[in-house]
Every structure is written in structure tokens, then in C-alpha cells.
Amino acid sequence: MPPISSHFLELYDAAGALRGVRLSPELWEAVKDKVLPAIEKAVYALDPSCRPQPEERPEPIGDWETLLAYWDFTYQPTYDVSCAHCGASTPDWRRDDPRKFRLRAANLGGLVTFQCQTCKSLVLKKHFKKHLTVECQPFVEHK
């Protein structure tokens, strides 16, 4: 690449450290489709906070209400949720605004799952006839 070009310019600070690159609009249009996916992947690895959030599905409150409607366990349902990974907790997940934990699933088998909004861990509340168990699984990003 020529050292001086009106289309591509490497920018250095006074100490000689590379600070950035400038591309002309014409050069960017010529390479954008090939280069942008690689740039986005690298930026997301360097700065995960700029990654776009996936569209969130609504909480399945109807499934939770169905579980409560058919509740025949020997104990009362509880609404507290705690994350063993980051320490986030709430005495009643339904009343939090904004939510500390989002309901991800509930079924008649007694399995209720929540996602921690702080660290994205999955909290599983397993309701059995006479007891409840709680598990916390760390967030795993699927690529």
C-alpha cells in the first residue's frame, strides 16, 4: 500500500503509536461488505458491551399462572430468587421494576427458570411434591 493516499491513512500520535485508520468514503464503499463482518466480530470480542442485545421475548406469565392454578404441592409457592454466581437476589421477582430476574419458563411439571439480569446466569427452581430445589447455572454464550 502506498505510504500516502487520499483513500487510506494510518493515524499516529506524537510518540509514534498507531491511533487509528481513516478510509475515504469511496474506499469504504468498495470494501465494506467484505470488511465489516470481520470488524464487527473483532469489536464484539474487544468490547462485548457494544454487542447488540437479542430481542427479548415476553415473560411467559401465563405459564406461571397455569402452574399456580393447578398447584397441589404441600407448601406455598415462593417468589424469592437468588443468583449464586453474582449475589443478586429479590424477595419477590414479580414486583421488581426493572426486573432483577426475568421469568424464562414455567411448566406444570414444576420447573420454573429465571435469568439473572446482572450476570445472565440461569436460576432453576424445581418444585417437587414435598420440597423445592434451586440450582444456578452460569451463563454460556452460544456462538
Side-chain angles (χ1 to χ4, degrees), residues 107-125:
N107 65 42
L108 286 174
L111 178 62
V112 181
T113 59
F114 299 90
Q115 186 169 34
C116 176
Q117 296 301 283
T118 303
C119 70
K120 304 297 184 206
S121 291
L122 194 63
V123 179
L124 295 89
K125 294 181 95 173

Side-chain angles (χ1 to χ4, degrees), residues 10-143:
E10 292 179 318
L11 305 170
Y12 295 89
D13 64 16
L18 182 64
R19 301 301 295 166
V21 176
R22 182 199 173 275
L23 303 178
S24 71
E26 297 84 10
L27 179 57
W28 178 244
E29 284 303 315
V31 300
K32 180 179 178 179
D33 292 338
K34 292 180 182 176
V35 174
L36 191 56
I39 290 174
E40 286 175 342
K41 185 176 180 181
V43 168
Y44 296 160
L46 292 170
D47 186 5
S49 67
C50 71
R51 182 173 300 167
Q53 293 294 319
E55 187 174 321
E56 280 191 327
R57 297 177 302 174
E59 291 179 288
I61 300 297
D63 293 347
W64 170 254
E65 291 170 349
T66 300
L67 173 62
L68 293 180
Y70 291 95
W71 189 274
D72 65 349
F73 302 119
T74 59
Y75 53 93
Q76 291 298 311
T78 59
Y79 304 104
D80 63 309
V81 183
S82 297
C83 178
H85 294 281
C86 72
S89 67
T90 181
D92 189 342
W93 63 270
R94 304 166 303 161
R95 303 213 187 288
D96 293 336
D97 188 22
R99 288 263 202 256
K100 293 179 184 176
F101 297 89
R102 283 185 48 86
L103 178 66
R104 300 286 297 185
N107 65 42
L108 286 174
L111 178 62
V112 181
T113 59
F114 299 90
Q115 186 169 34
C116 176
Q117 296 301 283
T118 303
C119 70
K120 304 297 184 206
S121 291
L122 194 63
V123 179
L124 295 89
K125 294 181 95 173
K126 297 177 180 180
H127 298 85
F128 296 96
K129 188 72 173 174
K130 295 183 180 181
H131 71 281
L132 166 73
T133 63
V134 179
E135 297 176 17
C136 190
Q137 299 175 351
F139 176 70
V140 177
E141 185 173 352
H142 299 285
K143 295 182 180 179

